[in-house]
Amino acid sequence: MNSASDIELTTLSVRRTPLSAAAGLHEYQLVVLLGPAVGQTLPLGEGVVLGRATPGLAIQDDGVSRRHAAVTRSADGVYVVRDLGSRNGTFVNGSRIDEATLAVGDRIAMGGQTVLQFSVRDRLEDQRVAAQKLQALGELAGGIAHDFNNLLGAVLANVSHVQSMTEWREEDVRRVLADIEVAARRAGELTHDLMAFARSGPRTRDALELAAVLADAGRLLGRGLPKNIQLVIDAEPGLVVRGDPTRLAQVLAHTGLNAISAMPDGGTLRISARRCTAIPSEMLDEQFMIPAGDLALITVEDTGVGMEPDVRRRAFDPFFTTKPRGVGTGLGLATALAIVRDHGGHIGIASSAGVGTCVFAFLPLRNGRPQAERRTLDEATPLVGCVLVADDEALVRDAARRVLEHAGLRVLIAEDGEVAVQTFRAHEAEIDLVVLDLDMPNLDGEQALRRIRAHNADVRVLISSGYIERAREAKLREVGIDGTLDKPYDSLTLLRAVSGVLRDVSRRKAP
């Protein structure tokens, strides 16, 4: 198989279908193909202004202006898109425009990570899509149920085994606990992968150098790499993107593990990143899913068994896998697709049976320097202080208290948001950090945060949740939080999050 650098680069001419003069007889809309609101539609009617303040479809893209572009319908029914003096420009089918007439199928790119398609609303098509969604939901639910039943079965069987012991031997109990931990961690990984489909954007948006992300992924993959597989990391320096380094490394880890599985007899796994000036021919059918502007092309390439065409077409389907039951969930590439789209990019596959596979990921390049690491105190410094933990689940509260108290911290607990606010007011002078569950009765985490901030604007706060919508997280950060703690978390994750905030030099309490 040719390497990514040898792939022919070309351009695509667009076949455009002009609007009829009787366009008013049809309903026209914009469909979000790429970006934080992917999948949403916006009826056009007589016209609409696009931007971060668009009614019904606020485009949460850092590069989109508040009033970015306008789509209007003329007297003869033709729709026209016009740039409104935006910061980064408006593009139609890859060309920057001041004003352009729209044809069905045209794609409008703006802001660096948002692509919309101009289309006719077909009510029969709406029904077909709804039926497909129900079918996909059923397949997804079946896959989740199967995997969780296996994991819960392992936990319950081990717990029952320990309970049935008449005499506990430390060696046996430790072995059972280790199996329970493995099952619980796999369940946590499964839920995190599922959250990738629900999230509408990266959890962090730092400036990152891709060379560092590839190096991190290389270290992860290298730990268990078979001796007959050679790993090559090749990253062009100076490629900066914005996003979450952990989730981008997860993309490379998922695709890299698939590549390793595809080389049972050994071979070469090559992960590279370079600036892209044109779209590889293998991606021509999808190139307008990619935003305008400079792009980074990341490739994960193997010399393995490759894919048959029908397998390649379904590679990104959730829970589709060619691996035996128990070996893989089929969420790896589907998760990678969701993460790359969250970062304003796109992903595709070029593969031939018996030759090998190359996974392409495009990400928009950004100006700026990579985010500097936060300055912290010496990690050897013992944890001291008082932490208020608010969660409506008693098992979570008790577990968090045991972990934090074992680390030397004093812990106060609250079973809902109202009690959290009352407890904070009563012990304000003692509390160094508040950990708030986002979804609690009486007052949720957001409401409790606002009341606590109104009482003390400087207290450090972590928000804990299994799922935070991007718009909601943006509101939380406006009020002021010091970070998020994803559920489910283990003791090490909890301690890292808490110590990271408590040891942050810039957030230390004044003596």
Side-chain angles (χ1 to χ4, degrees):
M1 180 178 181
N2 293 334
S3 67
S5 60
D6 294 331
I7 293 174
E8 179 186 358
L9 299 180
T10 185
T11 58
L12 178 67
S13 60
V14 182
R15 181 179 180 182
R16 307 177 78 227
T17 304
L19 290 179
S20 164
L25 298 176
H26 305 286
E27 294 181 38
Y28 290 89
Q29 62 184 3
L30 292 175
V31 181
V32 182
L33 297 181
L34 186 66
V38 63
Q40 293 187 26
T41 60
L42 180 65
L44 287 177
E46 295 300 319
V48 68
V49 173
L50 302 173
R52 287 186 286 110
T54 302
L57 183 65
I59 301 174
Q60 300 298 326
D61 182 334
D62 293 342
V64 171
S65 301
R66 183 174 177 81
R67 289 170 54 85
H68 195 103
V71 178
T72 57
R73 187 168 66 183
S74 63
D76 58 358
V78 173
Y79 280 94
V80 175
V81 59
R82 178 168 47 90
D83 186 77
L84 298 178
S86 62
R87 291 174 293 161
N88 300 316
T90 302
F91 297 77
V92 174
N93 298 334
S95 299
R96 185 163 185 166
I97 58 96
D98 293 322
E99 184 175 303
T101 300
L102 289 175
V104 172
D106 282 352
R107 305 194 182 189
I108 304 170
M110 59 179 68
Q113 59 176 316
T114 300
V115 178
L116 307 101
Q117 184 174 53
F118 178 66
S119 64
V120 180
R121 183 184 177 190
D122 185 330
R123 296 188 182 276
L124 292 178
E125 177 69 8
D126 290 346
Q127 295 176 16
R128 186 183 68 82
V129 170
Q132 286 181 332
K133 286 182 179 178
L134 287 175
Q135 180 182 0
L137 182 61
E139 293 176 356
L140 184 65
I144 296 170
H146 177 273
D147 288 342
F148 266 109
N149 278 338
N150 285 344
L151 297 170
L152 290 174
V155 171
L156 292 174
N158 280 297
V159 169
S160 299
H161 174 62
V162 171
Q163 290 176 333
S164 67
M165 289 180 178
T166 56
E167 181 180 343
W168 285 7
R169 293 190 307 171
E170 181 178 352
E171 180 182 354
D172 293 336
V173 173
R174 285 186 178 276
R175 186 166 55 248
V176 169
L177 289 176
D179 288 344
I180 292 174
E181 181 185 14
V182 169
R185 287 188 181 278
R186 287 182 180 174
E189 291 170 1
L190 179 58
T191 58
H192 282 146
D193 285 347
L194 290 170
M195 286 303 100
F197 300 107
R199 285 177 182 153
S200 57
R203 298 296 298 275
T204 61
R205 304 190 65 81
D206 296 331
L208 312 167
E209 185 161 5
L210 282 179
V213 177
L214 265 64
D216 288 343
R219 282 190 290 270
L220 288 173
L221 292 169
R223 291 172 185 170
L225 192 69
K227 293 182 179 180
N228 61 352
I229 293 179
Q230 179 185 11
L231 175 62
V232 178
I233 304 293
D234 179 20
E236 179 181 328
L239 300 179
V240 177
V241 299
R242 290 184 64 84
D244 186 327
T246 301
R247 299 187 74 204
L248 289 177
Q250 186 182 2
V251 171
L252 299 177
H254 279 314
T255 52
L257 289 172
N258 282 345
I260 292 170
S261 299
M263 295 185 288
D265 299 324
T268 301
L269 170 59
R270 183 182 184 88
I271 303 177
S272 64
R274 62 182 175 85
R275 186 178 297 271
C276 179
T277 56
I279 308 301
S281 57
E282 286 84 347
M283 294 289 290
L284 284 180
D285 291 341
E286 303 175 78
Q287 71 160 308
F288 291 134
M289 289 288 285
I290 301 168
D294 293 336
L295 299 171
L297 171 60
I298 304 172
T299 59
V300 179
E301 186 177 10
D302 66 66
T303 56
V305 297
M307 300 181 187
E308 297 289 349
D310 57 334
V311 174
R312 181 169 54 84
R313 282 192 294 270
R314 297 195 61 192
F316 292 107
D317 290 356
F319 288 99
F320 172 77
T321 179
T322 57
K323 299 175 183 177
R325 281 289 189 182
V327 177
T329 64
L331 277 174
L333 285 177
T335 302
L337 171 63
I339 293 173
V340 171
R341 284 184 174 175
D342 282 348
H343 285 75
H346 195 61
I347 192 169
I349 293 178
S351 183
S352 298
V355 179
T357 298
C358 187
V359 178
F360 299 86
F362 294 91
L363 292 176
L365 288 173
R366 295 287 184 258
N367 296 323
R369 296 181 178 179
Q371 181 77 18
E373 292 187 8
R374 183 169 58 183
R375 295 177 299 134
T376 60
L377 297 174
D378 185 357
E379 291 293 329
T381 305
L383 288 176
V384 293
C386 178
V387 179
L388 169 60
V389 177
D391 199 295
D392 62 326
E393 176 54 63
L395 291 173
V396 175
R397 291 197 305 270
D398 293 342
R401 177 167 57 181
R402 282 194 291 269
V403 170
L404 296 177
E405 286 180 344
H406 183 72
L409 295 166
R410 181 183 169 209
V411 181
L412 303 174
I413 61 173
E415 63 269 23
D416 60 39
E418 185 66 48
V419 175
V421 174
Q422 295 172 359
T423 304
F424 179 79
R425 289 175 176 173
H427 300 274
E428 178 184 353
E430 311 162 39
I431 294 174
D432 298 280
L433 171 65
V434 181
V435 180
L436 289 173
D437 182 34
L438 186 57
D439 296 304
M440 296 184 290
N442 297 328
L443 286 180
D444 63 23
E446 182 179 351
Q447 294 168 324
L449 171 66
R450 292 182 183 277
R451 293 197 184 184
I452 289 173
R453 277 277 180 256
H455 196 70
N456 184 331
D458 297 323
V459 66
R460 291 169 282 195
V461 179
L462 279 173
I463 290 291
S464 173
S465 177
Y467 169 59
I468 308 179
E469 293 177 347
R470 184 180 179 189
R472 193 176 188 188
E473 184 174 358
K475 292 180 181 179
L476 291 169
R477 294 196 179 277
E478 288 177 3
V479 178
I481 58 174
D482 290 84
T484 57
L485 180 61
D486 288 342
K487 288 184 174 181
Y489 50 77
D490 59 16
S491 59
L492 183 58
T493 302
L494 174 61
L495 284 175
R496 282 176 175 169
V498 169
S499 63
V501 176
L502 290 178
R503 287 173 168 152
D504 184 2
V505 174
S506 64
R507 297 286 282 128
R508 261 190 304 179
K509 269 187 174 180

